[in-house]
Amino acid sequence: MGISESAGAYTPRSLNSSILNRKLDPGAKVKSDVERLWKIRCSLYKKEKLTKEEITLLRSLISDTLDLTGRLRILVRENEDFTNQEVETYCRDMNGLQLLFNNIVEIWQKVPDPEKSKHKDEIVSDVMELSTDVTSIVGEILLVLLQRFHLNIVPLLKPLHGLFYGLGLHVKFNCLDKDLINSNSAAGIFSGFLSGVLQLFRSAKILLKRLKFEDDASVAKKKLVQTNIASFVSDATVSHGLHSFSADELRDMMIRIGNLCTDSFYTIGKTSATLDYIDLGDGVHAVSPLESLGSISHVDFVQCPIESRSLLMSGIQLNDGQHYVSDIFLVNGNAFHSQEKITLRAPIHHSSFPASATVRVKTKSGDKWIDVDGDIIAGKCEFRASYMEAFVVVAGYRPYHREITPAGFTYMSDDDSRIRINFPQNCFSRPCIVQFRLIQLNRNRIFSYKETCPDECKYITCISDVIFIKHDDDVIINEPALVHMPIINDTDDYETELVVFRKREDGEVELIPRPSAMRCESTGNCYTFQIDRFCGLALGKANKRQLKKNRRAIIDEFNLYYETEHICTAITMLDKSSLQSGVVKFWTEVVENRFLKRILRMRMKEGLYEVPGSRSPHIRMKDYDVIRIDLDGNMGKIRSLSSDHYFISYLSSSNQNYRSFPVEPRRDPRGRNIGVINYYRESGQEDVCIHLVAVDTERFLISGPRLPTSHSEAKPPSSQTGRVTWSRGSHRSSRSVRSTIAYRSMFEDVPVLSHQSLLVLAGALPLEYATTLGVALRVPYEDILDIKALDQPPVITNFEILWKWRGKIASLEMVDALVSALREVKQKRLIDVIMLASSEKRHLKHSDFSHRHNCVQFAVAPS
């Protein structure tokens, strides 16, 4: 069916006001106007079969439409200033072009085979040329208009939405034609088409950054399309032409283009609203100046992948008291570069800082990290930059510099007038400049830790802020200085003793008892004491017994308050939604203890629930600490996932200290009938196991009797042999067990369609082919797009598409349907395996595909 004229049709009446009919280039000769072309289209579209004369008329229609694209290109390039009225007229012209193109594709499909084969070479070649010109001119116009931020871009949605629909049809019916792909001229034809598509995709990605989507699902689809477009553009750009591509590689690329066009069609059609800023990705917004935003509209920011954090941040130097308050953001693809500084806003972990704290943004340029001023506005950090490759937001404290002469000096803190340091005469061996920096401890953090971690936070009853005093290394201290500072929330407790916490240059903390410190009677909570070694100083009250027995515990507590360390818990959760498709997927997250209840509530709303008894004891973590996840027992890793997927590089200011990974059943060589998740801390030498979770897999298995979950008690049962089968059942409900057993019996008769088999098939199927296979299996494309937008490993995305088709009940007829669909998407290598396994009435195995994985080399790796 064609696109109805009610859905944005380009009628002759609307054509009269187009730019093409109002402006004429003297050097261009127009064979016919757009109104005549539309009449030709209408006459051809009504025909059931096309005669030889009508096919000639179709070629004439294609030729005249090509002339229109050339005229429009000239008019756009001659124009320098654009108004909103001109935007609307250009959009009407583009809409007319895309409708003519779409209908030409559909008209050609109505030609019967004998006649179609006779004229195939000429028509397909003309249609490919037309698709190249239409995509390139629409992409060029979009780019020109989107770089002018003051223009209304809403009219652009209609022609672009329709063009993506038409390109999807074009790829399906023409670009995947076997004769065209195998022809000697294929490389040249497809190279032109690819260049036009790249122009269109680059512009579409910029447009998506200006569109406003209301619900989270639509935002996720938008991000998926942006990411896949960026990946495709990057891969296609480095491929250096298509002349070296095989027929299979050309086909893979065309399938990828078709899927991207269809994804874009469904995504753009979900909104007609725009933003007053550019969404650069993952919450980073470019807000001003408006006239310069077009120069950075191609930039994409992404949160740094967990596995890259440690390496990326190794070059960052933090000042005394500085700590991260945001995730690390990377520029993905093209560099962020502008002639004028751009105002950006980035999300931060929290916006509650002590009064004297200052926000800075560390931007990466080459191997250097440069500090930029930042400000907190509406819960986001605002800063300005003209060039960077990455950035991270930090909170810190201002330094103050004073000259200390032999005559002595009394320093009074600018941030807290109660803090004074009296340097006597001849305190230093020579005059020098001394740096003072007051670090105000986050009291909310202290109180929260005392509430959530009482065992680790009970030895320091109260503590002051930290004052850093730094001088030149060659200066000798002749006389001790007098320090006068308050202890916040001071209490009188005979079991405590006054102590000085001295933070050295190397980061270590010394604990110095100061029972001789004198209290100021006028203030009640201020104390004066002598010190002859400077750097970071804080005064507090600590438990007397622990001062003698366990000073390390007091120092560890101080490090928590100073934000050097964090007490965390590793939680292990199960994804309920994945259980509905027969996949057991775990979610492991390292959470700071004071946020544990909030995170658990949030994850429960997302459909996750905690594995009983799996919560770890308290773990002390520092930024960049790495935790490795290992599986043991009767469950193992999915083979197609890389080992990088099982690491967590901890960052206290990030909300992404988690990993989600599916598991598959295996027979444990030691005969255990439990699944084991081991957590190791990487120490540079031998990794240390810090936590172990024993998962009672019988809650998700239905074969064999219920078994003990204790690691020591688990023994291989004498009655259970054979295969371990995952299911969605639970022994807590007899009804669910019965339904699960019945459910298993349904597909044991069709083992090639069991969820184990489909999981193996998903690992052997490229993601792009899983999408086209899902369409061939009549899975609604909206459902396919929803699954792809979940940002899961490709093997799980493929599996869920297959499971969406399979449903709860499998039949032998479904095997035939799967084989037919695989034949439709040209996956003969998979058909042979499935038919063999089906005839042998067995499950698919990884070994079935291991020697076939290299049969097809893909031009572009699926995103």
Side-chain angles (χ1 to χ4, degrees), residues 384-396:
R384 303 179 72 223
S386 59
Y387 179 84
M388 61 178 157
E389 300 165 17
F391 74 88
V392 63
V393 185
V394 299

Side-chain angles (χ1 to χ4, degrees), residues 216-361:
D216 292 340
S218 297
V219 172
K221 292 175 185 178
K222 167 188 170 181
K223 184 176 179 180
L224 169 73
V225 172
Q226 285 180 305
T227 302
N228 288 348
I229 286 178
S231 175
F232 177 79
V233 170
S234 175
D235 293 341
T237 302
V238 301
S239 62
H240 303 296
L242 304 180
H243 296 280
S244 62
F245 278 23
S246 67
D248 286 328
E249 290 172 330
L250 283 175
R251 178 181 176 81
D252 295 335
M253 177 171 278
M254 291 303 109
I255 286 178
R256 194 173 177 190
I257 290 174
N259 288 338
L260 267 176
C261 290
T262 309
D263 290 352
S264 302
F265 168 77
Y266 278 93
T267 301
I268 291 177
K270 295 296 183 182
T271 183
S272 60
T274 59
L275 302 167
D276 55 359
Y277 54 82
I278 294 182
D279 183 0
L280 299 180
D282 282 349
V284 180
H285 301 159
V287 295
S288 65
L290 297 181
E291 61 274 10
S292 299
L293 293 184
S295 63
I296 51 90
S297 57
H298 60 280
V299 175
D300 296 312
F301 279 99
V302 295
Q303 287 180 269
C304 178
I306 292 179
E307 57 270 17
S308 304
R309 282 177 183 167
S310 299
L311 180 62
L312 178 69
M313 303 182 74
S314 59
I316 298 180
Q317 296 293 326
L318 295 180
N319 296 326
D320 297 323
Q322 273 191 340
H323 56 276
Y324 300 111
V325 294
S326 81
D327 209 328
I328 315 149
F329 293 91
L330 294 176
V331 177
N332 188 26
N334 296 317
F336 180 94
H337 181 65
S338 172
Q339 297 295 328
E340 188 175 0
K341 286 191 174 182
I342 305 296
T343 301
L344 301 171
R345 288 181 183 168
I348 56 177
H349 186 54
H350 58 81
S351 56
S352 177
F353 309 112
S356 64
T358 58
V359 175
R360 306 280 287 175
V361 180

Side-chain angles (χ1 to χ4, degrees), residues 344-407:
L344 301 171
R345 288 181 183 168
I348 56 177
H349 186 54
H350 58 81
S351 56
S352 177
F353 309 112
S356 64
T358 58
V359 175
R360 306 280 287 175
V361 180
K362 291 186 176 290
T363 61
K364 187 176 187 293
S365 177
D367 294 331
K368 295 181 179 179
W369 288 85
I370 303 169
D371 277 14
V372 176
D373 290 333
D375 195 12
I376 302 300
I377 297 178
K380 287 198 167 191
C381 178
E382 184 175 290
F383 65 101
R384 303 179 72 223
S386 59
Y387 179 84
M388 61 178 157
E389 300 165 17
F391 74 88
V392 63
V393 185
V394 299
Y397 301 86
R398 303 182 199 89
Y400 299 93
H401 297 83
R402 300 290 187 270
E403 183 180 10
I404 310 298
T405 66

Side-chain angles (χ1 to χ4, degrees), residues 11-31:
T11 60
R13 180 175 298 178
S14 66
L15 298 172
N16 292 330
S17 61
S18 73
I19 285 181
L20 292 176
N21 288 335
R22 291 189 297 104
K23 293 183 178 181
L24 289 176
D25 179 54
K29 294 182 179 181
V30 182
K31 293 182 178 179

Side-chain angles (χ1 to χ4, degrees), residues 572 584 586 611-614 630-637 661 663-668 671-679 692-701 707-711 714 724 726:
T572 306
V584 178
F586 286 97
V611 176
S614 65
D630 191 33
L631 301 182
D632 200 358
N634 64 355
M635 63 185 186
K637 301 175 182 177
F661 53 89
V663 298
E664 61 181 1
R666 71 170 190 178
R667 187 180 300 169
D668 184 16
R672 292 169 295 177
N673 284 277
I674 56 171
V676 180
I677 303 176
N678 293 308
Y679 294 85
L692 178 149
V693 177
V695 182
D696 183 3
T697 52
E698 285 301 299
R699 305 178 79 171
F700 314 104
L701 295 170
L707 299 166
T709 58
S710 168
H711 197 80
V724 177
W726 292 92

Side-chain angles (χ1 to χ4, degrees), residues 32-41 61 64-65 68:
S32 65
D33 57 15
V34 181
E35 183 177 354
R36 176 172 169 267
L37 295 182
W38 193 254
K39 289 181 179 179
I40 295 173
R41 167 263 171 201
L61 175 62
D64 290 346
T65 307
L68 286 179

